[in-house]
Each structure stands twice: as C-alpha cells, then as structure tokens.
Amino acid sequence: IGNEDEENLAHVARPSVHATSVPHHWRKVYKLIQVQIVHRHGDRTPITPMKNETYWASALPSDQILERVAKNTKLRRGDGPQVPHLARGKGPFGKLTQLGLLQMVDLGARLREELHLEDANYDDQHHRDDRDNVFFNKGRLFHHTHDPLHPKRIRVVSTDFPRTIQSVQGVLVGMFPDAPEDHIEIDVQHTSLLIPDPQPRRHEEQEALEVDLATRPHLVEKEEEMRSLAVRTTDALRPLLGDEAFDMSFGVGEEKEGDVEQQPLSWAQLSEITKCLQVRNLLPQSITAGDQEAIATHTAWRWFENLRHPRLAHLSMGAMVSMIVETMNNHPEEVPLTIYSAHDSTLIGLLSAFRLEQPAQWPEYGSYFKVELFQVADSDGEDDSHEYFVRFSLNGQLLRSMWEDEENPHELIPLDVLTDKTSTLIH
C-alpha cells in the first residue's frame, strides 16, 4: 500500500461520509475487524502510605457500590499463590476512588460510542468518504443490527490489583448500560506479563540491566540536576507520610540501597504523591504546580529513556507484545474486542516496545491505548484478496510507528511487517 493509501486509511476512525448512489468504482474497502484496548485505571489514592488514613478511606467507593459494579463479572484466577507487588498498596492506599470509578464508567460509554454503530439504517453500500473509499460501519467494529456488541464477543484481562479490576468493571458498566444477563469473565492470571516492573522481575537479566542503564552518563547528569527538587519535595512531604513510606519501591530503575530514609523518595513516589495531593488541593505550599509538573515530566522522561532500550523493552514487555500480536494474527479464532486493564507503566512500556511516537503528556487516569486491525481490500472485487494493517492511538490521538522509518513514521503498518519487527521482542 502506498503513501497515498496510508493517508486514506488515516480517515477510517471518523471518515467523512455522505449519502450517494452506489458508485461504479471505489478505491479501497476498509473493514475494522479487531480492536484491543489497554487502559489505565481511574483516579486512586496514593500508593505510598500517608498519615491521614481516615481521609483517604473516605475517598473510596462504598462496598455496596462495588458489589453492584461487580455483579455481572466473575474473576478467573489460577491455582498458584498470588504474587505480591508493593504497588498494590495497603489499607486505603493504592485504591480506586469514587472519582476514579466514575471516570471509568464514562470511559466505557465513550468506548461504546467509538466501537458500536447505533444507526440501524446505515447502509455501507451507499456511503463513501470524499476519497471514494468505502468504510464498513463507518469505521466501527460493531453494528447495532447485524454485528452487535455483546458480552460474549469481548475478552477482558486485568492485573490482579483491586484498582484495575474495579476500573474495568466500571468500564463494562458504561459499555453495557443495560446490565447484560451474561457474566463477563475477567482474567487476572497474567499480572507479571502486563507490567514492566513485576516483583520480583521475571528475568535476573532485567534487574542487572536496570541498574546498568541508570549509570549512563546522560542519566547521571540529569539526576544530579534534578536532585535538589527531589530533596526539597521529599522534605516538604515528610510530615504527611506514613510509617512505611520509605519502604516502598516500585517502577523501572527505582531500586535503592542503603538507609532509604536518608534519601529522597523515588521519582515514581514523588510523582504519584504530588499528583494525588494536587488533584485535591492538598499540596504543601512549598510545592508549586510547576514543581509537580517538573516531577511528572522527569519521571516520564526516565521511564521512556529506560524502556526504549531494545533489550529492556524485550525483557519487560515482550510477553505482552506477544499476546497482542498473536491475538491479531489469530483474529479468525479470537473475539473481536479485547480489553486489558492495567497501569500507566503498561502504556509507556507498550508505546516503547512498539516503537511509537512519544505522547506529549504522561498517560493520565483512564487513558486508553488502542490497537486496531483493519482488513483492506481492493475495490474492483475481482478476487477475495485482502491485506491487514494495524493502527495505534492513545486517547484518540493517532500514534505513528517508527519501525520502518524513524525519520518518516507511518500511521499504519502492515500486520506481517509488525509481526516480523516485534519478533525480536517476542523471542
């Protein structure tokens, strides 16, 4: 497919269409046949323990609300022991808030609108875009009458954290507002594959590589430049921190040695604590909004600097990349929609592993990464041949792939090319 056709396909999600008589000749026929969505959980309490537990507990949804949200879902767990992770949080910490649950219900409604065509009178054969391309279902995955969205046509996978499980339950409420009779299974058996920083790491090599990457000169120089901000912010937060705050450790390249209480909090902790406080107007006066932005920006830079390293991308995200790519290659046997409920680290890891453009902002609560598989056929209809192309986006913003040309990245990539390129991550 040429550059001109790539430009055409960029209009698939929201093509400009108009009614007309059936045209004698169409250039391309596009059909969205599979979508995989990876979303971040909603707003949460800090993972790092804080002193005022009562305040943070008051931000959580009631047990009655959580029971109603979970009513039409069931969890699938393996027989093995649950692997602990400090980022799960303890007590009221690291938990989905009432605000976070509402965010995820809203996200489910938005995804339903993006994926499901409600117009029962829409006729593909009488609609085309302004480039003479035909789009099945206006570029949607499901159609209200002949190809509807249904619980049996969706697969759900989540990390085994309360906040991600409850988040995707909220998404399903928004996606299926009529409370379907069928229970939707949530597979929570793959936590260590869905995050780049499992505890313990799945490979000893990853642990050593993270330590080694942290010693690169440009990272050391940047850390020295930012150290005063880390120290000042940590000192300002100390009166608010709980007893075990300095015992927490999560994130890629955030491991510490020695007397941790004499060191600044990790960047991952500084970012998440200040964000949670800022949302609630609870930041200490000595920490400005500019400080919080600088902390978040530096934390994101560190994550991308590490996870874009090819070997670390392989060790940390290769297994999830494999799940996504294999699901596309096996599309005839797979359900058309898969939802993964995960974390900001998951999104950053996938953006890095798939070699996509770096977004302008850190993925906020409720952010969603979409992987779309299109079947593209020629318009002459002389044979049944077609090709498959993949497109990526974050929160509706297309992300171009740099696999083939870093200077001129593409908005879509042939599935066979993506499979070949990512094989270095999978094997």
Side-chain angles (χ1 to χ4, degrees):
I1 193 167
N3 291 334
E4 187 177 23
D5 289 320
E6 289 180 358
E7 184 180 359
N8 295 336
L9 191 50
H11 295 265
V12 172
R14 288 289 183 271
S16 173
V17 295
H18 57 273
T20 182
S21 60
V22 178
H24 296 292
H25 179 76
W26 301 318
R27 298 178 62 187
K28 291 286 182 181
V29 178
Y30 299 125
K31 184 175 184 180
L32 182 60
I33 61 173
Q34 187 187 85
V35 173
Q36 297 181 72
I37 291 171
V38 187
H39 69 71
R40 186 188 181 188
H41 55 75
D43 177 76
R44 59 161 171 76
T45 57
I47 296 170
T48 303
M50 308 295 283
K51 281 187 175 177
N52 193 347
E53 288 195 22
T54 302
Y55 170 79
W56 293 107
S58 69
L60 307 183
S62 68
D63 290 341
Q64 292 79 6
I65 290 177
L66 292 178
E67 287 175 7
R68 289 204 298 269
V69 170
K71 181 179 179 181
N72 294 100
T73 64
K74 58 181 179 181
L75 303 184
R76 180 184 177 188
R77 286 194 172 97
D79 297 330
Q82 188 179 69
V83 179
H85 195 292
L86 290 175
R88 286 174 58 90
K90 294 181 180 180
F93 300 111
K95 300 300 190 294
L96 189 73
T97 64
Q98 300 175 56
L99 171 61
L101 182 57
L102 291 173
Q103 288 173 335
M104 302 315 290
V105 173
D106 286 345
L107 176 60
R110 175 178 176 178
L111 292 176
R112 179 182 179 88
E113 181 179 351
E114 289 186 9
L115 298 170
H116 191 254
L117 182 61
E118 301 284 355
D119 185 0
N121 297 317
Y122 180 77
D123 182 357
D124 287 309
Q125 300 303 313
H126 290 75
H127 288 77
R128 56 183 174 141
D129 74 352
D130 53 10
R131 298 169 186 266
D132 283 342
N133 296 309
V134 173
F135 299 88
F136 278 78
N137 300 340
K138 290 186 178 178
R140 264 72 161 204
L141 185 62
F142 301 104
H143 188 285
H144 177 70
T145 55
H146 61 264
D147 197 16
L149 173 62
H150 189 275
K152 291 184 178 179
R153 308 192 70 204
I154 180 174
R155 176 169 66 110
V156 181
V157 182
S158 176
T159 57
D160 197 0
F161 289 26
R163 64 179 177 271
T164 48
I165 294 171
Q166 294 162 7
S167 287
V168 78
Q169 288 170 336
V171 167
L172 295 173
V173 168
M175 188 172 286
F176 299 101
D178 296 329
E181 296 180 2
D182 297 276
H183 278 73
I184 299 176
E185 183 178 84
I186 302 175
D187 185 350
V188 296
Q189 301 177 97
H190 309 288
T191 298
S192 65
L193 307 183
L194 304 184
I195 52 178
D197 60 331
Q199 296 176 345
R201 300 293 192 261
R202 291 185 296 116
H203 308 280
E204 291 184 5
E205 182 187 351
Q206 180 176 344
E207 293 184 30
L209 182 57
E210 289 181 31
V211 173
D212 184 58
L213 292 177
T215 64
R216 289 176 291 176
H218 72 290
L219 274 172
V220 173
E221 181 180 350
K222 188 67 174 179
E223 284 299 298
E224 286 298 319
E225 177 186 330
M226 299 294 293
R227 181 174 173 78
S228 61
L229 175 60
V231 171
R232 177 168 60 81
T233 306
T234 299
D235 288 343
L237 293 173
R238 284 183 188 275
L240 306 178
L241 300 176
D243 292 337
E244 300 179 352
F246 286 93
D247 297 329
M248 302 294 292
S249 177
F250 52 89
V252 173
E254 296 279 14
E255 299 293 334
K256 293 187 175 182
E257 298 179 353
D259 188 352
V260 294
E261 293 202 17
Q262 300 304 313
Q263 302 178 46
L265 291 168
S266 70
W267 288 109
Q269 288 180 279
L270 290 173
S271 181
E272 65 109 4
I273 295 171
T274 56
K275 179 63 176 179
C276 289
L277 293 175
Q278 183 186 47
V279 168
R280 295 162 177 82
N281 295 317
L282 295 175
L283 275 177
Q285 288 187 348
S286 60
I287 303 176
T288 67
D291 290 336
Q292 202 286 321
E293 183 178 357
I295 290 167
T297 299
H298 180 62
T299 305
W301 177 82
R302 280 175 50 90
W303 278 79
F304 277 111
E305 279 295 300
N306 285 318
L307 288 171
R308 286 199 184 278
H309 185 274
R311 186 60 183 168
L312 186 56
H314 161 76
L315 294 169
S316 63
M317 297 305 299
M320 188 171 186
V321 167
S322 175
M323 292 173 65
I324 292 172
V325 173
E326 287 181 6
T327 296
M328 287 189 284
N329 279 301
N330 296 330
H331 64 85
E333 290 77 39
E334 298 282 353
V335 293
L337 176 61
T338 299
I339 296 178
Y340 302 89
S341 183
H343 309 265
D344 52 355
S345 61
T346 309
L347 301 184
I348 291 172
L350 289 174
L351 296 181
S352 300
F354 278 118
R355 296 189 64 178
L356 300 172
E357 293 176 304
Q358 183 171 329
Q361 295 180 324
W362 182 272
E364 295 286 352
Y365 296 127
S367 290
Y368 65 102
F369 175 64
K370 185 188 291 184
V371 184
E372 298 171 295
L373 179 62
F374 290 98
Q375 177 181 288
V376 184
D378 290 327
S379 60
D380 53 27
E382 293 181 357
D383 56 47
D384 295 328
S385 64
H386 46 254
E387 300 174 286
Y388 297 99
F389 290 86
V390 182
R391 187 172 65 176
F392 301 93
S393 62
L394 181 67
N395 298 329
Q397 182 69 41
L398 293 181
L399 297 175
R400 296 179 296 177
S401 169
M402 294 182 285
W403 276 115
E404 294 187 279
D405 188 345
E406 291 194 10
E407 297 298 325
N408 298 289
H410 300 293
E411 289 182 351
L412 60 137
I413 183 170
L415 176 59
D416 57 351
V417 173
L418 182 66
T419 301
D420 178 64
K421 296 292 186 180
T422 57
S423 64
T424 58
L425 294 173
I426 296 171
H427 299 294

